[in-house]
Amino acid sequence: MSGAILILSGPSGAGKSTIIQRSAPHIGPFYFSISTTTRPPRPGERDGVDYYFVDVESFERDIAAGEFLEYAKVHGNYYGTSLRPVREALEEGKLVIFDIDVQGHRLAREKMGEIITSAFITPPSLAELKRRLTERSTDDEEAIRRRLQNAKEEIEALEEYDYLIVNDDLERATEEFIALARTSRLKPSRAERVRFRERWLERE
Ligand code: ADP
Ligand code: 5GP
C-alpha cells in the first residue's frame, strides 16, 4: 500500500463536507471514504454518494462478517467505514479521506496509525455551531440538541488530533485543509520507508 489517510472529525455542522467539496479540485487524486449508516437520509442526500444507507440488520451482518475497518454508534445510529474500498484506494496510491467521529478516529489509529494524519474541524464556538445547525435546517430540534451535546463530548478529544482547523472564515479553512491534504500524502508507512532506503542504497 502506498497511499495515505487523512481523517477529519468534528461536530456535525462544523463544515467538513463543505470544506472537502471546495478543496476537491486542488488536492490531487483522492478517495473520499463513503461510510455506511443506519441513519435515515436527509433531504438531498443520495445513497452511494453521501452514505450507503442500510437497515440495522444489514449493518450488524457486516459487523459480524468483519467488513468494517471501524464502526461506532453516533447519535443513536450506526456509522462505519468498509475496509475493502479503502484498501483498494490505498493500493492505487490515493489519499483516502475519512469524515468520522472521535471513536472511529481512535480505532483507525490503532489499525493504520502509521499512515494517518488527522485534523479536528470546528466552528469557533458552541454558539456558532448551534446557529449553523439551526440554519442548515436538516435536523429537527431534538436532533440538534443531541448533536450539540455530542459536540461537547467530542471536543474533549481535541488533543488526540494532529491539527486543528477553526472554520470561521470558510475561505481560510479551505486553504488550511488543502495544505493539510497535500502534506498528509508525504507520510510514508514504515514498509515504504524501508523499501525506499533499500532502493536508495542499491543505486550507488
Ligand atoms: P458537516 O459536514 O461538518 O456536518 P456542513 O458542511 O454540512 O457540516 O456545514 C454545516 C452548515 O454550515 C452548512 O449549512 C454550511 O453551508 C455552513 N457553513 C460551513 N462553513 C461555514 C462558515 N465558515 N461560515 C458559515 N457557515 C458555514
Ligand atoms: P452525520 O449524521 O451528521 O452525517 O454524521 C454524524 C457523525 O458521524 C459525524 O461526527 C461524522 O463524522 C460521523 N461519521 C460519519 N461516518 C462515520 C463512520 O464511518 N464512522 C464513524 N466512526 N463515524 C462516522
Side-chain angles (χ1 to χ4, degrees):
M1 289 199 265
S2 58
I5 294 175
L6 176 55
I7 295 184
L8 290 184
S9 303
S12 183
K16 299 183 293 294
S17 323
T18 311
I19 289 172
I20 293 169
Q21 256 175 26
R22 291 171 64 112
S23 307
H26 311 289
I27 58 175
F30 73 95
Y31 166 69
F32 177 71
S33 166
I34 302 168
S35 299
T36 303
T37 185
T38 57
R39 152 168 95 58
R42 295 190 187 118
E45 281 185 333
R46 284 176 298 158
D47 186 45
V49 177
D50 301 284
Y51 282 103
Y52 296 108
F53 295 100
V54 300
D55 58 28
V56 173
E57 290 72 39
S58 158
F59 199 101
E60 289 178 342
R61 255 199 320 274
D62 284 356
I63 295 175
E67 300 268 340
F68 291 116
L69 164 65
E70 61 75 33
Y71 70 91
K73 243 186 187 171
V74 189
H75 320 129
N77 293 302
Y78 279 124
Y79 292 81
T81 307
S82 296
L83 194 50
R84 196 184 317 144
V86 171
R87 277 239 169 90
E88 284 169 6
L90 288 174
E91 271 157 20
E92 289 166 17
K94 288 184 179 151
L95 176 68
V96 180
I97 302 178
F98 293 173
D99 169 352
I100 58 178
D101 85 321
V102 302
Q103 308 168 73
H105 171 244
R106 274 180 211 133
L107 293 170
R109 277 241 180 236
E110 278 172 24
K111 292 193 180 159
M112 299 181 132
E114 48 178 275
I115 55 167
I116 290 175
T117 301
S118 67
F120 195 89
I121 300 193
T122 176
S125 65
L126 189 61
E128 175 61 13
L129 175 62
K130 186 173 183 186
R131 202 187 63 74
R132 287 188 202 168
L133 283 177
T134 310
E135 218 162 69
R136 185 169 71 177
S137 48
T138 50
D139 302 288
D140 59 31
E141 227 169 84
E142 169 56 21
I144 291 179
R145 198 196 56 73
R146 241 182 306 145
R147 281 165 198 278
L148 289 173
Q149 181 54 37
N150 201 57
K152 285 191 207 168
E153 289 163 25
E154 286 216 312
I155 201 138
E156 291 299 321
L158 194 54
E159 286 87 346
E160 297 170 30
Y161 288 77
D162 299 318
Y163 297 99
L164 168 65
I165 295 180
V166 179
N167 179 18
D168 190 351
D169 174 47
L170 183 57
E171 238 6 88
R172 190 183 42 78
T174 304
E175 299 241 320
E176 288 176 358
F177 179 76
I178 292 170
L180 200 55
R182 291 179 176 162
T183 310
S184 55
R185 285 184 193 279
L186 302 176
K187 191 165 185 179
S189 67
R190 192 187 313 221
E192 281 176 276
R193 287 173 219 239
V194 170
R195 268 202 309 276
F196 177 82
R197 182 167 49 228
E198 281 166 0
R199 281 203 307 269
W200 193 90
L201 287 168
E202 270 167 20
R203 291 199 226 129
E204 248 196 301

